[in-house]
């Protein structure tokens, strides 16, 4: 039976509510449950899940909605008590936090009058309005949220450009300004390399490899994946490249993204050649172009990182992408074990592996990556589980390993599977111990396979550094002890997987005008010449990260104006 409980005017961020829903869903006495805010989009999700009730009609976007399917009223009471305890604990943790708090823009700006960056991670339908307010306050904006109309993205980025500011995102997962990581980011060494990218995990992989190999970063600026579309026209990409070109501390630039729209690509490459600094560029999913002017192209993230280190240190790289283990593992396998299955939390890492597989076996990319399927052929597959198809009402797999564990276990138990390939992206914003979670599962699945007279090879890479909260070496050690082969990069892990697949006979088929860079300083230059001073709107964990790195931050405890009533909010706005 369906039960609905609505807690009025109790705004909570979506990620914590998703984690709560997942926690409750493990109960054997519960058929189904969902805990979300009462936004129109969330009501559609309730409906799609078969949990919609008439009681939800009256819920506003500022109301917390609980719908559960249970057979016993006593279980309902227990679950509501568990939810109350969870929410009280959230409040208690918030009160313990010494980060300054604010509930309005006026208060936030008074508490941090020299703020220069707003980090926004609220429901997508409210992002445009709050971004407008941030820009009007003279702040650069980092938008972690997704589900923002592309028309709004274009308008906001154009407005920012007119004011000498930048808007990073929407759906921007990673940023590093000096020693301050933003959202999903790693603690890296400081140095003379600057990174711009439309790929969160691509930036993380490159910056981590750079940091682990004796060089360091000035800044890493994410742009959001749609920035390279024909509609947006690379506004943030071009402004960010120009920003780092003006930075005296940045001597080498790295750029990473999926291939841009053709007309946008020309503008981006033209900007490369006018930067006056060496540029290493990697367009994931396509073969590297021919080097020209000050631009060098690479095919993988690791190659880009090593090339940047070489330029930054002005030394030759001892890079060896195919650093295989001394012996390709002799697998006690059944004749039908011929498939490779890869389940990723990093979309760009999944794309990189898929690209290397297609290159090896002479396959073309049809460009259809629906449901996160980056590669599928003859039973082998590479899937990005961070794709929107899997994160609807579910936390990103960098935060919650549940779906990836299910997929990994399912693949390991399939008698046709020879290799399971995994990434592990650590750092701020991610799970506290993803390596430990997967290590336990790998041990169990290896033992089950051995009892059936076969073996499954687990190959992994870890994206991160020893300075990250989870610790790079610690994560590697846990996976190795569990029996996984851990390589130094996703590219190296992919090369090893391909080499092993080849040994077990798979069925896989086999002159430009430079654009001058203005030297005029803009408000965005403060982001790279000084520490960012942040107003964090949404996920408090992002503010905690900044605070732990000794950054200035105000937590803006945002909730929808007028309880989410659009008409009333408009009237109130007109009265100002």
């Amino acid at each position: 039976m369906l039960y609905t409980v609505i807690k009025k005017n109790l705004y909570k961020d979506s990620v914590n509510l998703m984690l709560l829903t997942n926690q409750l869903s493990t109960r054997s006495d519960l058929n189904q449950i969902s805990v979300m805010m009462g936004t129109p989009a969330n009501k559609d999700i309730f409906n799609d899940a078969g949990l919609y009730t008439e009681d939800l009609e009256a819920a506003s976007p500022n109301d917390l909605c609980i719908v559960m399917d249970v057979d016993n009223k006593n279980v309902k009471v227990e679950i509501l008590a568990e939810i109350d305890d969870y929410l009280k604990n959230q409040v208690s943790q918030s009160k313990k936090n010494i980060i300054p708090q604010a509930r309005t823009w006026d208060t936030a700006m008074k508490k941090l009058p020299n703020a220069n960056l707003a980090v926004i991670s609220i429901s997508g339908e409210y992002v445009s309005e709050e971004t407008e307010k941030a820009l009007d306050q003279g702040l650069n904006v980092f938008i972690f949220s997704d589900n923002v109309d592309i028309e709004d993205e274009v308008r906001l980025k154009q407005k920012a450009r007119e004011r000498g500011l930048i808007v990073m995102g929407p759906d921007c997962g990673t940023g590093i300004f000096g020693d301050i990581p933003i959202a999903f980011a790693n603690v890296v060494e400081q140095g003379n390399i600057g990174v711009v990218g439309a790929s969160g995990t691509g930036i993380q992989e490159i910056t981590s490899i750079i940091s682990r190999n004796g060089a360091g970063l000035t800044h890493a600026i994410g742009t959001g994946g749609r920035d390279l579309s024909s509609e947006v026209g690379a506004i943030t990409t071009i402004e960010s490249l120009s920003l780092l070109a003006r930075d005296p501390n940045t001597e080498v630039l790295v750029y990473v993204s999926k291939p841009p729209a053709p007309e946008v690509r020309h503008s981006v490459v033209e900007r490369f050649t006018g930067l006056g600094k060496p540029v290493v560029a990697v367009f994931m999913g396509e073969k590297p172009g021919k080097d020209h002017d000050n631009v060098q192209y690479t095919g993988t993230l690791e190659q880009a990182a090593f090339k940047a280190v070489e330029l930054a240190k002005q030394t030759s790289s001892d890079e060896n992408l195919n650093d295989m283990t001394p012996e390709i593992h002799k697998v006690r396998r059944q004749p039908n074990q011929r498939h490779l299955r890869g389940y990723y939390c990093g979309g760009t890492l999944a794309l990189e592996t898929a690209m290397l597989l297609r290159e090896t076996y002479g396959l073309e990319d049809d460009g259809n990556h629906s449901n996160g399927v980056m590669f599928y052929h003859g039973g082998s597959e590479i899937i990005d589980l961070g794709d929107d198809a899997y994160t609807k009402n579910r936390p990103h797999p960098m935060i919650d390993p549940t779906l990836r564990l299910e997929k990994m276990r399912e693949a390991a138990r399939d008698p046709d599977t020879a290799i399971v390939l995994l990434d592990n992206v650590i750092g701020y914003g991610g799970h506290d111990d993803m390596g430990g979670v997967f290590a336990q599962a790998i041990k169990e699945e290896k033992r089950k396979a051995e009892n059936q007279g076969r073996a499954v090879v687990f190959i992994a890479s870890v994206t991160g550094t020893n300075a990250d909260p989870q610790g790079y070496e610690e994560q590697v050690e846990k996976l190795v002890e569990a029996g996984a082969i851990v390589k130094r990069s996703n590219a190296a892990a992919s090369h090893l997987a391909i080499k092993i697949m080849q040994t077990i006979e798979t069925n896989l088929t086999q002159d430009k005008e430079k654009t001058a860079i203005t030297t005029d300083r803009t408000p965005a230059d403060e982001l790279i010449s000084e520490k960012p001073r942040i107003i964090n709107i949404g996920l408090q964990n992002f503010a905690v990260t900044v605070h732990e790195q000794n950054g200035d931050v105000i937590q803006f405890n945002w909730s929808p104006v007028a309880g989410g009533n659009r008409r009333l909010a408009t009237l109130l706005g007109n009265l100002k």
Side-chain angles (χ1 to χ4, degrees), residues 17-29:
L17 295 183
M18 289 176 188
L19 292 171
L20 171 59
T21 297
N22 284 358
Q23 174 184 311
L24 294 168
S25 296
T26 61
R27 293 182 60 125
S28 60
D29 53 5

Side-chain angles (χ1 to χ4, degrees), residues 223-281:
T223 67
R226 290 191 310 206
D227 195 66
L228 277 295
S229 66
S230 56
E231 295 92 335
V232 182
I235 294 173
T236 301
T237 293
I238 290 171
E239 293 301 311
S240 299
L241 289 168
S242 300
L243 193 62
L244 292 180
R246 295 194 295 271
D247 177 28
N249 296 317
T250 300
E251 298 175 353
V252 177
L253 282 157
V254 180
Y255 181 75
V256 56
S257 77
K258 296 175 184 176
E263 64 274 25
V264 176
R265 183 193 183 99
H266 174 77
S267 299
V268 172
V269 173
E270 186 177 54
R271 181 59 69 183
F272 289 163
T273 60
L275 293 174
K277 297 178 179 181
V279 177
V280 180

Side-chain angles (χ1 to χ4, degrees), residues 21 69 75 115 125 128 142 152 168 178 195 245 269 299 311 336 366 405 505:
T21 297
D69 180 4
V75 173
E125 60 197 292
S128 295
F142 181 104
D152 288 333
M168 296 159 274
V195 180
V269 173
L311 291 168
N336 56 319
D366 62 7
L405 280 170
E505 302 174 347

Side-chain angles (χ1 to χ4, degrees), residues 474-493:
E474 185 178 338
Q475 291 287 293
V476 169
E477 185 178 338
K478 288 180 179 180
L479 292 167
V480 170
E481 286 181 354
I485 306 170
V486 181
K487 304 304 290 181
R488 69 185 188 189
S489 71
N490 180 63

Side-chain angles (χ1 to χ4, degrees), residues 419-497:
I419 298 172
V420 176
L421 193 55
L422 301 164
D423 63 344
N424 180 10
V425 183
I426 65 173
Y428 282 106
H431 189 278
D432 289 342
D433 185 18
M434 194 71 78
V437 172
F438 274 90
Q440 182 61 37
I442 288 169
K443 283 181 185 176
E444 293 172 3
E445 297 308 325
K446 285 180 74 70
R447 184 170 59 250
K448 289 176 182 176
E450 287 169 3
N451 290 340
Q452 296 171 4
R454 61 189 179 89
V456 179
V457 178
F458 291 88
I459 303 176
S461 65
V462 178
T463 296
T465 70
N466 280 323
D468 287 325
Q470 304 89 342
Y472 174 82
E473 294 292 348
E474 185 178 338
Q475 291 287 293
V476 169
E477 185 178 338
K478 288 180 179 180
L479 292 167
V480 170
E481 286 181 354
I485 306 170
V486 181
K487 304 304 290 181
R488 69 185 188 189
S489 71
N490 180 63
S494 302
H495 280 295
L496 177 59

Side-chain angles (χ1 to χ4, degrees), residues 105-106 109 113 115-116 130-140 163 165 535:
W105 273 105
D106 285 346
M109 294 304 295
N116 57 11
E130 298 307 319
T131 301
E132 290 269 15
K133 293 175 183 176
L135 292 173
D136 289 341
Q137 297 285 353
L139 305 181
N140 299 282
R163 299 181 178 212
L165 301 166
I535 294 176

Side-chain angles (χ1 to χ4, degrees), residues 183-247:
F184 292 134
N186 304 95
V187 180
V188 297
E189 295 294 327
Q190 292 188 272
N192 62 348
I193 301 171
V195 180
V196 176
S199 161
T201 51
I203 291 175
Q204 287 189 265
E205 177 81 341
I206 288 172
T207 56
S208 294
I209 294 172
I210 288 171
S211 186
R212 296 200 309 264
N213 283 275
L217 281 295
T218 53
H219 313 282
I221 304 175
T223 67
R226 290 191 310 206
D227 195 66
L228 277 295
S229 66
S230 56
E231 295 92 335
V232 182
I235 294 173
T236 301
T237 293
I238 290 171
E239 293 301 311
S240 299
L241 289 168
S242 300
L243 193 62
L244 292 180
R246 295 194 295 271
D247 177 28

